[in-house]
Amino acid sequence: IVKDILGKKLYYVHYIDFNKRLDEWVTPDRLDIKKLQFPKKEAKTPMKDGLPGSRPSSPERDVTASATSRGKTLPTPVQMIPAHSFLPINLHRHSHVLMFHIILADSTLLSQDSQDSSDGIPSAPRMTGSLVSDRSHDDIVTRMKNIDCIELGRHRLKPWYFSPYPQELTSLLILYLCEFCLKYLKSLKCLQRHLTKCNLRHPPGNEIYRKGTISFFEIDGRKNKAYSQNLCLLAKCFLDHKTLYYDTDPFLFYVMTEYDSKGFHIVGYFSKEKESTEDYNVACILTLPPYQRRGYGKLLIEFSYELSKVEGKTGTPEKPLSDLGLLSYRSYWSQTILEILMDLKSENGERPQITINEISEITSVKKEDVISTLQYLNLINYYKGQYILTLSEDIVEGHERAMQKRHLRIDPKCLHFTPKDWSKRGKW
């Protein structure tokens, strides 16, 4: 793919077997033209089951498409234990290994192959909402990043993926965004003119949490439609596994900000369905690149579960998660569950006991996610006729080191949130 900007030719490059966020437009001097192979005209793909085959695409898309077409999700290395099995856990301390004894109600459940729910991933993606898992629009246009640079406040961001900003803005060297209302503008002069009229110094909506310089704002996708749509456009630049739609009415958006003398600056956000039949407590979640690897991602995740605790529900993020999203969630789940297990204390000289159900109730993490995390950490073992959960010194020490680095935490006392019953409302 070639494009012309200010009389200069740029070539679009995708690196095979690497994530699309590493794609880039390059100048001719970075290409070895001698080794260039021009694509041959593809023959039409044969009919399959009475339907024409799709055009060639990346290996990643082929795998996803083939799995979806069979109505199954991709297998994961861990085998799920059915959520309805309640596992009483007894704590038994040894000098070198901490052992949590798990007694299953029916040990034959472990041998069942639960492929229908791999890591809690539903077999079919949801097809409604502001950002949904829908690859039907995955064509040559949406597979190329179209915005070169975004200026948001004091930061300049290099987008990772395609986002459907208006076509006339894609040829700009820099796309300017108002960091408070997220309106997009084509030049610095337009932005300066806009800032004289824009009265916002924080996201619209209600501030429901503040501690130090960190605040969270709850934004109704129906009442603040323009802001919500602009937020989705910005988020799409960094989320590849979602497709953008403009129906934001059924969603709430929770925007995390950092405060200084100039106002409340957006750090990240997550969206959430007002009514979820699947127990989702997060639809999309994103920490903006300038704030990544600083603990803000876990803070967003922790906040989503604090809301679930207030609502008296267990929750899970909508699947599929992005590669970075899955890493963040697995890390959060691991730290949260290990924190509970290590805080167990014996009473009357007996071994402490806890069940999977109790862990889920304490943390608001869905049972499937608790079990998959235990298996991901490789803690479940079979020992002397029963299933036990072993916590080695390495895991304990690794957890303590990780918790020492985790300075940002949600303080439930600073949360001022009253859940609404959206099912009783005729209109959102």
PDB file of all heavy atoms in Angstrom, residues 39-72:
ATOM      1  N   PRO A  39       2.788  -8.737  -5.643  1.00  0.00           N
ATOM      2  CA  PRO A  39       1.807  -9.817  -5.478  1.00  0.00           C
ATOM      3  C   PRO A  39       1.206 -10.239  -6.811  1.00  0.00           C
ATOM      4  O   PRO A  39       0.975  -9.418  -7.693  1.00  0.00           O
ATOM      5  CB  PRO A  39       0.738  -9.174  -4.582  1.00  0.00           C
ATOM      6  CG  PRO A  39       0.894  -7.716  -4.779  1.00  0.00           C
ATOM      7  CD  PRO A  39       2.343  -7.474  -5.060  1.00  0.00           C
ATOM      8  N   LYS A  40       1.014 -11.553  -6.935  1.00  0.00           N
ATOM      9  CA  LYS A  40       0.362 -12.067  -8.131  1.00  0.00           C
ATOM     10  C   LYS A  40      -1.146 -11.994  -7.950  1.00  0.00           C
ATOM     11  O   LYS A  40      -1.641 -12.021  -6.831  1.00  0.00           O
ATOM     12  CB  LYS A  40       0.787 -13.520  -8.361  1.00  0.00           C
ATOM     13  CG  LYS A  40       2.274 -13.670  -8.659  1.00  0.00           C
ATOM     14  CD  LYS A  40       2.660 -15.128  -8.767  1.00  0.00           C
ATOM     15  CE  LYS A  40       4.167 -15.262  -8.990  1.00  0.00           C
ATOM     16  NZ  LYS A  40       4.575 -16.683  -9.035  1.00  0.00           N
ATOM     17  N   LYS A  41      -1.846 -11.928  -9.055  1.00  0.00           N
ATOM     18  CA  LYS A  41      -3.298 -11.846  -8.991  1.00  0.00           C
ATOM     19  C   LYS A  41      -3.835 -13.153  -8.422  1.00  0.00           C
ATOM     20  O   LYS A  41      -3.549 -14.232  -8.923  1.00  0.00           O
ATOM     21  CB  LYS A  41      -3.871 -11.602 -10.391  1.00  0.00           C
ATOM     22  CG  LYS A  41      -5.332 -11.190 -10.361  1.00  0.00           C
ATOM     23  CD  LYS A  41      -5.806 -10.743 -11.731  1.00  0.00           C
ATOM     24  CE  LYS A  41      -7.246 -10.275 -11.638  1.00  0.00           C
ATOM     25  NZ  LYS A  41      -7.767  -9.830 -12.931  1.00  0.00           N
ATOM     26  N   GLU A  42      -4.621 -13.016  -7.349  1.00  0.00           N
ATOM     27  CA  GLU A  42      -5.136 -14.208  -6.687  1.00  0.00           C
ATOM     28  C   GLU A  42      -6.293 -14.798  -7.469  1.00  0.00           C
ATOM     29  O   GLU A  42      -7.174 -14.074  -7.944  1.00  0.00           O
ATOM     30  CB  GLU A  42      -5.621 -13.846  -5.268  1.00  0.00           C
ATOM     31  CG  GLU A  42      -4.514 -13.381  -4.344  1.00  0.00           C
ATOM     32  CD  GLU A  42      -3.662 -14.525  -3.845  1.00  0.00           C
ATOM     33  OE1 GLU A  42      -4.066 -15.686  -4.066  1.00  0.00           O
ATOM     34  OE2 GLU A  42      -2.597 -14.258  -3.277  1.00  0.00           O
ATOM     35  N   ALA A  43      -6.279 -16.139  -7.592  1.00  0.00           N
ATOM     36  CA  ALA A  43      -7.435 -16.801  -8.194  1.00  0.00           C
ATOM     37  C   ALA A  43      -8.575 -16.783  -7.188  1.00  0.00           C
ATOM     38  O   ALA A  43      -8.349 -16.715  -5.974  1.00  0.00           O
ATOM     39  CB  ALA A  43      -7.068 -18.234  -8.547  1.00  0.00           C
ATOM     40  N   LYS A  44      -9.793 -16.808  -7.712  1.00  0.00           N
ATOM     41  CA  LYS A  44     -10.943 -16.797  -6.815  1.00  0.00           C
ATOM     42  C   LYS A  44     -10.908 -18.045  -5.953  1.00  0.00           C
ATOM     43  O   LYS A  44     -10.644 -19.139  -6.430  1.00  0.00           O
ATOM     44  CB  LYS A  44     -12.259 -16.746  -7.597  1.00  0.00           C
ATOM     45  CG  LYS A  44     -12.524 -15.377  -8.215  1.00  0.00           C
ATOM     46  CD  LYS A  44     -13.898 -15.319  -8.802  1.00  0.00           C
ATOM     47  CE  LYS A  44     -14.197 -13.924  -9.351  1.00  0.00           C
ATOM     48  NZ  LYS A  44     -15.537 -13.848  -9.956  1.00  0.00           N
ATOM     49  N   THR A  45     -11.208 -17.874  -4.674  1.00  0.00           N
ATOM     50  CA  THR A  45     -11.162 -19.003  -3.758  1.00  0.00           C
ATOM     51  C   THR A  45     -12.323 -19.937  -4.043  1.00  0.00           C
ATOM     52  O   THR A  45     -13.411 -19.490  -4.425  1.00  0.00           O
ATOM     53  CB  THR A  45     -11.244 -18.516  -2.305  1.00  0.00           C
ATOM     54  OG1 THR A  45     -12.321 -17.593  -2.190  1.00  0.00           O
ATOM     55  CG2 THR A  45      -9.964 -17.847  -1.891  1.00  0.00           C
ATOM     56  N   PRO A  46     -12.118 -21.246  -3.889  1.00  0.00           N
ATOM     57  CA  PRO A  46     -13.181 -22.200  -4.218  1.00  0.00           C
ATOM     58  C   PRO A  46     -14.365 -22.086  -3.278  1.00  0.00           C
ATOM     59  O   PRO A  46     -14.245 -21.591  -2.164  1.00  0.00           O
ATOM     60  CB  PRO A  46     -12.477 -23.555  -4.047  1.00  0.00           C
ATOM     61  CG  PRO A  46     -11.349 -23.292  -3.114  1.00  0.00           C
ATOM     62  CD  PRO A  46     -10.916 -21.881  -3.387  1.00  0.00           C
ATOM     63  N   MET A  47     -15.491 -22.590  -3.756  1.00  0.00           N
ATOM     64  CA  MET A  47     -16.697 -22.584  -2.937  1.00  0.00           C
ATOM     65  C   MET A  47     -16.546 -23.623  -1.830  1.00  0.00           C
ATOM     66  O   MET A  47     -16.002 -24.705  -2.034  1.00  0.00           O
ATOM     67  CB  MET A  47     -17.922 -22.940  -3.794  1.00  0.00           C
ATOM     68  CG  MET A  47     -18.134 -22.002  -4.974  1.00  0.00           C
ATOM     69  SD  MET A  47     -18.781 -20.410  -4.472  1.00  0.00           S
ATOM     70  CE  MET A  47     -20.491 -20.839  -4.251  1.00  0.00           C
ATOM     71  N   LYS A  48     -17.049 -23.295  -0.682  1.00  0.00           N
ATOM     72  CA  LYS A  48     -16.983 -24.222   0.447  1.00  0.00           C
ATOM     73  C   LYS A  48     -18.340 -24.237   1.139  1.00  0.00           C
ATOM     74  O   LYS A  48     -18.799 -23.205   1.614  1.00  0.00           O
ATOM     75  CB  LYS A  48     -15.897 -23.789   1.437  1.00  0.00           C
ATOM     76  CG  LYS A  48     -15.664 -24.823   2.540  1.00  0.00           C
ATOM     77  CD  LYS A  48     -14.511 -24.386   3.416  1.00  0.00           C
ATOM     78  CE  LYS A  48     -14.256 -25.403   4.507  1.00  0.00           C
ATOM     79  NZ  LYS A  48     -13.183 -25.006   5.393  1.00  0.00           N
ATOM     80  N   ASP A  49     -18.943 -25.404   1.195  1.00  0.00           N
ATOM     81  CA  ASP A  49     -20.282 -25.537   1.772  1.00  0.00           C
ATOM     82  C   ASP A  49     -21.273 -24.592   1.116  1.00  0.00           C
ATOM     83  O   ASP A  49     -22.144 -24.008   1.783  1.00  0.00           O
ATOM     84  CB  ASP A  49     -20.243 -25.265   3.297  1.00  0.00           C
ATOM     85  CG  ASP A  49     -19.357 -26.266   4.008  1.00  0.00           C
ATOM     86  OD1 ASP A  49     -19.271 -27.406   3.518  1.00  0.00           O
ATOM     87  OD2 ASP A  49     -18.767 -25.893   5.040  1.00  0.00           O
ATOM     88  N   GLY A  50     -21.095 -24.404  -0.184  1.00  0.00           N
ATOM     89  CA  GLY A  50     -22.036 -23.559  -0.912  1.00  0.00           C
ATOM     90  C   GLY A  50     -21.784 -22.091  -0.768  1.00  0.00           C
ATOM     91  O   GLY A  50     -22.530 -21.262  -1.263  1.00  0.00           O
ATOM     92  N   LEU A  51     -20.701 -21.699  -0.040  1.00  0.00           N
ATOM     93  CA  LEU A  51     -20.398 -20.286   0.182  1.00  0.00           C
ATOM     94  C   LEU A  51     -19.022 -19.979  -0.386  1.00  0.00           C
ATOM     95  O   LEU A  51     -18.105 -20.793  -0.271  1.00  0.00           O
ATOM     96  CB  LEU A  51     -20.404 -19.957   1.682  1.00  0.00           C
ATOM     97  CG  LEU A  51     -21.752 -20.105   2.381  1.00  0.00           C
ATOM     98  CD1 LEU A  51     -21.555 -19.978   3.880  1.00  0.00           C
ATOM     99  CD2 LEU A  51     -22.738 -19.061   1.883  1.00  0.00           C
ATOM    100  N   PRO A  52     -18.830 -18.800  -0.994  1.00  0.00           N
ATOM    101  CA  PRO A  52     -17.504 -18.450  -1.508  1.00  0.00           C
ATOM    102  C   PRO A  52     -16.528 -18.270  -0.365  1.00  0.00           C
ATOM    103  O   PRO A  52     -16.892 -17.730   0.685  1.00  0.00           O
ATOM    104  CB  PRO A  52     -17.749 -17.126  -2.249  1.00  0.00           C
ATOM    105  CG  PRO A  52     -18.990 -16.577  -1.657  1.00  0.00           C
ATOM    106  CD  PRO A  52     -19.824 -17.742  -1.232  1.00  0.00           C
ATOM    107  N   GLY A  53     -15.292 -18.709  -0.560  1.00  0.00           N
ATOM    108  CA  GLY A  53     -14.279 -18.566   0.475  1.00  0.00           C
ATOM    109  C   GLY A  53     -13.851 -17.122   0.605  1.00  0.00           C
ATOM    110  O   GLY A  53     -14.067 -16.303  -0.286  1.00  0.00           O
ATOM    111  N   SER A  54     -13.228 -16.790   1.741  1.00  0.00           N
ATOM    112  CA  SER A  54     -12.786 -15.416   1.955  1.00  0.00           C
ATOM    113  C   SER A  54     -11.409 -15.238   1.343  1.00  0.00           C
ATOM    114  O   SER A  54     -10.701 -16.189   1.069  1.00  0.00           O
ATOM    115  CB  SER A  54     -12.745 -15.110   3.456  1.00  0.00           C
ATOM    116  OG  SER A  54     -11.812 -15.944   4.068  1.00  0.00           O
ATOM    117  N   ARG A  55     -11.022 -13.965   1.166  1.00  0.00           N
ATOM    118  CA  ARG A  55      -9.732 -13.681   0.567  1.00  0.00           C
ATOM    119  C   ARG A  55      -8.623 -14.000   1.554  1.00  0.00           C
ATOM    120  O   ARG A  55      -8.852 -14.109   2.752  1.00  0.00           O
ATOM    121  CB  ARG A  55      -9.664 -12.195   0.204  1.00  0.00           C
ATOM    122  CG  ARG A  55      -9.994 -11.354   1.396  1.00  0.00           C
ATOM    123  CD  ARG A  55      -9.779  -9.894   1.176  1.00  0.00           C
ATOM    124  NE  ARG A  55     -10.283  -9.173   2.330  1.00  0.00           N
ATOM    125  CZ  ARG A  55      -9.710  -9.198   3.514  1.00  0.00           C
ATOM    126  NH1 ARG A  55      -8.624  -9.888   3.698  1.00  0.00           N
ATOM    127  NH2 ARG A  55     -10.228  -8.528   4.517  1.00  0.00           N
ATOM    128  N   PRO A  56      -7.372 -14.144   1.050  1.00  0.00           N
ATOM    129  CA  PRO A  56      -6.254 -14.432   1.965  1.00  0.00           C
ATOM    130  C   PRO A  56      -6.074 -13.306   2.970  1.00  0.00           C
ATOM    131  O   PRO A  56      -6.360 -12.145   2.681  1.00  0.00           O
ATOM    132  CB  PRO A  56      -5.043 -14.508   1.024  1.00  0.00           C
ATOM    133  CG  PRO A  56      -5.600 -14.749  -0.334  1.00  0.00           C
ATOM    134  CD  PRO A  56      -6.957 -14.108  -0.345  1.00  0.00           C
ATOM    135  N   SER A  57      -5.622 -13.668   4.136  1.00  0.00           N
ATOM    136  CA  SER A  57      -5.413 -12.652   5.167  1.00  0.00           C
ATOM    137  C   SER A  57      -4.283 -13.105   6.065  1.00  0.00           C
ATOM    138  O   SER A  57      -3.587 -14.061   5.774  1.00  0.00           O
ATOM    139  CB  SER A  57      -6.697 -12.465   5.983  1.00  0.00           C
ATOM    140  OG  SER A  57      -7.052 -13.686   6.589  1.00  0.00           O
ATOM    141  N   SER A  58      -4.106 -12.394   7.178  1.00  0.00           N
ATOM    142  CA  SER A  58      -3.012 -12.719   8.078  1.00  0.00           C
ATOM    143  C   SER A  58      -3.299 -14.034   8.787  1.00  0.00           C
ATOM    144  O   SER A  58      -4.451 -14.410   8.964  1.00  0.00           O
ATOM    145  CB  SER A  58      -2.856 -11.602   9.111  1.00  0.00           C
ATOM    146  OG  SER A  58      -3.992 -11.559   9.928  1.00  0.00           O
ATOM    147  N   PRO A  59      -2.220 -14.744   9.220  1.00  0.00           N
ATOM    148  CA  PRO A  59      -2.423 -16.011   9.942  1.00  0.00           C
ATOM    149  C   PRO A  59      -3.302 -15.828  11.160  1.00  0.00           C
ATOM    150  O   PRO A  59      -4.116 -16.666  11.480  1.00  0.00           O
ATOM    151  CB  PRO A  59      -0.991 -16.410  10.341  1.00  0.00           C
ATOM    152  CG  PRO A  59      -0.096 -15.674   9.403  1.00  0.00           C
ATOM    153  CD  PRO A  59      -0.817 -14.410   9.042  1.00  0.00           C
ATOM    154  N   GLU A  60      -3.144 -14.682  11.864  1.00  0.00           N
ATOM    155  CA  GLU A  60      -3.919 -14.427  13.066  1.00  0.00           C
ATOM    156  C   GLU A  60      -5.403 -14.413  12.756  1.00  0.00           C
ATOM    157  O   GLU A  60      -6.217 -14.986  13.456  1.00  0.00           O
ATOM    158  CB  GLU A  60      -3.478 -13.088  13.660  1.00  0.00           C
ATOM    159  CG  GLU A  60      -4.271 -12.677  14.897  1.00  0.00           C
ATOM    160  CD  GLU A  60      -3.875 -11.283  15.360  1.00  0.00           C
ATOM    161  OE1 GLU A  60      -2.712 -10.901  15.184  1.00  0.00           O
ATOM    162  OE2 GLU A  60      -4.744 -10.585  15.878  1.00  0.00           O
ATOM    163  N   ARG A  61      -5.766 -13.780  11.614  1.00  0.00           N
ATOM    164  CA  ARG A  61      -7.171 -13.677  11.248  1.00  0.00           C
ATOM    165  C   ARG A  61      -7.710 -15.031  10.814  1.00  0.00           C
ATOM    166  O   ARG A  61      -8.839 -15.392  11.097  1.00  0.00           O
ATOM    167  CB  ARG A  61      -7.340 -12.658  10.115  1.00  0.00           C
ATOM    168  CG  ARG A  61      -8.796 -12.476   9.713  1.00  0.00           C
ATOM    169  CD  ARG A  61      -8.911 -11.325   8.721  1.00  0.00           C
ATOM    170  NE  ARG A  61     -10.289 -11.229   8.280  1.00  0.00           N
ATOM    171  CZ  ARG A  61     -10.754 -11.833   7.183  1.00  0.00           C
ATOM    172  NH1 ARG A  61      -9.953 -12.573   6.466  1.00  0.00           N
ATOM    173  NH2 ARG A  61     -12.017 -11.693   6.821  1.00  0.00           N
ATOM    174  N   ASP A  62      -6.856 -15.818  10.103  1.00  0.00           N
ATOM    175  CA  ASP A  62      -7.295 -17.129   9.636  1.00  0.00           C
ATOM    176  C   ASP A  62      -7.652 -18.030  10.808  1.00  0.00           C
ATOM    177  O   ASP A  62      -8.644 -18.737  10.787  1.00  0.00           O
ATOM    178  CB  ASP A  62      -6.203 -17.789   8.791  1.00  0.00           C
ATOM    179  CG  ASP A  62      -6.045 -17.104   7.435  1.00  0.00           C
ATOM    180  OD1 ASP A  62      -6.997 -16.426   6.997  1.00  0.00           O
ATOM    181  OD2 ASP A  62      -4.976 -17.253   6.831  1.00  0.00           O
ATOM    182  N   VAL A  63      -6.805 -18.002  11.845  1.00  0.00           N
ATOM    183  CA  VAL A  63      -7.059 -18.837  13.011  1.00  0.00           C
ATOM    184  C   VAL A  63      -8.354 -18.429  13.683  1.00  0.00           C
ATOM    185  O   VAL A  63      -9.196 -19.252  14.014  1.00  0.00           O
ATOM    186  CB  VAL A  63      -5.875 -18.742  14.008  1.00  0.00           C
ATOM    187  CG1 VAL A  63      -6.218 -19.437  15.301  1.00  0.00           C
ATOM    188  CG2 VAL A  63      -4.626 -19.353  13.380  1.00  0.00           C
ATOM    189  N   THR A  64      -8.523 -17.104  13.882  1.00  0.00           N
ATOM    190  CA  THR A  64      -9.723 -16.597  14.528  1.00  0.00           C
ATOM    191  C   THR A  64     -10.965 -16.931  13.728  1.00  0.00           C
ATOM    192  O   THR A  64     -11.973 -17.364  14.270  1.00  0.00           O
ATOM    193  CB  THR A  64      -9.611 -15.062  14.715  1.00  0.00           C
ATOM    194  OG1 THR A  64      -8.386 -14.767  15.349  1.00  0.00           O
ATOM    195  CG2 THR A  64     -10.771 -14.533  15.535  1.00  0.00           C
ATOM    196  N   ALA A  65     -10.881 -16.720  12.409  1.00  0.00           N
ATOM    197  CA  ALA A  65     -12.040 -16.946  11.564  1.00  0.00           C
ATOM    198  C   ALA A  65     -12.427 -18.415  11.550  1.00  0.00           C
ATOM    199  O   ALA A  65     -13.604 -18.754  11.617  1.00  0.00           O
ATOM    200  CB  ALA A  65     -11.740 -16.468  10.142  1.00  0.00           C
ATOM    201  N   SER A  66     -11.419 -19.310  11.483  1.00  0.00           N
ATOM    202  CA  SER A  66     -11.738 -20.728  11.415  1.00  0.00           C
ATOM    203  C   SER A  66     -12.370 -21.201  12.710  1.00  0.00           C
ATOM    204  O   SER A  66     -13.276 -22.022  12.706  1.00  0.00           O
ATOM    205  CB  SER A  66     -10.481 -21.536  11.117  1.00  0.00           C
ATOM    206  OG  SER A  66      -9.529 -21.365  12.144  1.00  0.00           O
ATOM    207  N   ALA A  67     -11.879 -20.658  13.836  1.00  0.00           N
ATOM    208  CA  ALA A  67     -12.458 -21.058  15.117  1.00  0.00           C
ATOM    209  C   ALA A  67     -13.887 -20.556  15.240  1.00  0.00           C
ATOM    210  O   ALA A  67     -14.765 -21.247  15.731  1.00  0.00           O
ATOM    211  CB  ALA A  67     -11.611 -20.518  16.267  1.00  0.00           C
ATOM    212  N   THR A  68     -14.126 -19.313  14.790  1.00  0.00           N
ATOM    213  CA  THR A  68     -15.455 -18.724  14.890  1.00  0.00           C
ATOM    214  C   THR A  68     -16.436 -19.455  13.990  1.00  0.00           C
ATOM    215  O   THR A  68     -17.586 -19.672  14.346  1.00  0.00           O
ATOM    216  CB  THR A  68     -15.405 -17.233  14.510  1.00  0.00           C
ATOM    217  OG1 THR A  68     -14.396 -16.603  15.282  1.00  0.00           O
ATOM    218  CG2 THR A  68     -16.740 -16.565  14.769  1.00  0.00           C
ATOM    219  N   SER A  69     -15.965 -19.842  12.796  1.00  0.00           N
ATOM    220  CA  SER A  69     -16.865 -20.481  11.853  1.00  0.00           C
ATOM    221  C   SER A  69     -17.351 -21.826  12.368  1.00  0.00           C
ATOM    222  O   SER A  69     -18.419 -22.285  12.013  1.00  0.00           O
ATOM    223  CB  SER A  69     -16.168 -20.662  10.498  1.00  0.00           C
ATOM    224  OG  SER A  69     -15.068 -21.546  10.629  1.00  0.00           O
ATOM    225  N   ARG A  70     -16.539 -22.472  13.230  1.00  0.00           N
ATOM    226  CA  ARG A  70     -16.977 -23.740  13.782  1.00  0.00           C
ATOM    227  C   ARG A  70     -17.821 -23.544  15.035  1.00  0.00           C
ATOM    228  O   ARG A  70     -18.263 -24.495  15.646  1.00  0.00           O
ATOM    229  CB  ARG A  70     -15.747 -24.591  14.150  1.00  0.00           C
ATOM    230  CG  ARG A  70     -14.960 -25.074  12.941  1.00  0.00           C
ATOM    231  CD  ARG A  70     -13.987 -26.171  13.362  1.00  0.00           C
ATOM    232  NE  ARG A  70     -13.025 -25.702  14.350  1.00  0.00           N
ATOM    233  CZ  ARG A  70     -11.873 -25.137  14.018  1.00  0.00           C
ATOM    234  NH1 ARG A  70     -11.555 -24.933  12.759  1.00  0.00           N
ATOM    235  NH2 ARG A  70     -11.041 -24.763  14.966  1.00  0.00           N
ATOM    236  N   GLY A  71     -17.991 -22.268  15.440  1.00  0.00           N
ATOM    237  CA  GLY A  71     -18.791 -21.989  16.623  1.00  0.00           C
ATOM    238  C   GLY A  71     -18.075 -22.325  17.907  1.00  0.00           C
ATOM    239  O   GLY A  71     -18.679 -22.531  18.943  1.00  0.00           O
ATOM    240  N   LYS A  72     -16.712 -22.439  17.843  1.00  0.00           N
ATOM    241  CA  LYS A  72     -15.934 -22.766  19.034  1.00  0.00           C
ATOM    242  C   LYS A  72     -14.893 -21.695  19.281  1.00  0.00           C
ATOM    243  O   LYS A  72     -14.496 -20.985  18.378  1.00  0.00           O
ATOM    244  CB  LYS A  72     -15.232 -24.119  18.882  1.00  0.00           C
ATOM    245  CG  LYS A  72     -16.208 -25.296  18.764  1.00  0.00           C
ATOM    246  CD  LYS A  72     -15.423 -26.590  18.632  1.00  0.00           C
ATOM    247  CE  LYS A  72     -16.356 -27.784  18.503  1.00  0.00           C
ATOM    248  NZ  LYS A  72     -15.621 -29.031  18.302  1.00  0.00           N
TER     249      LYS A  72
END
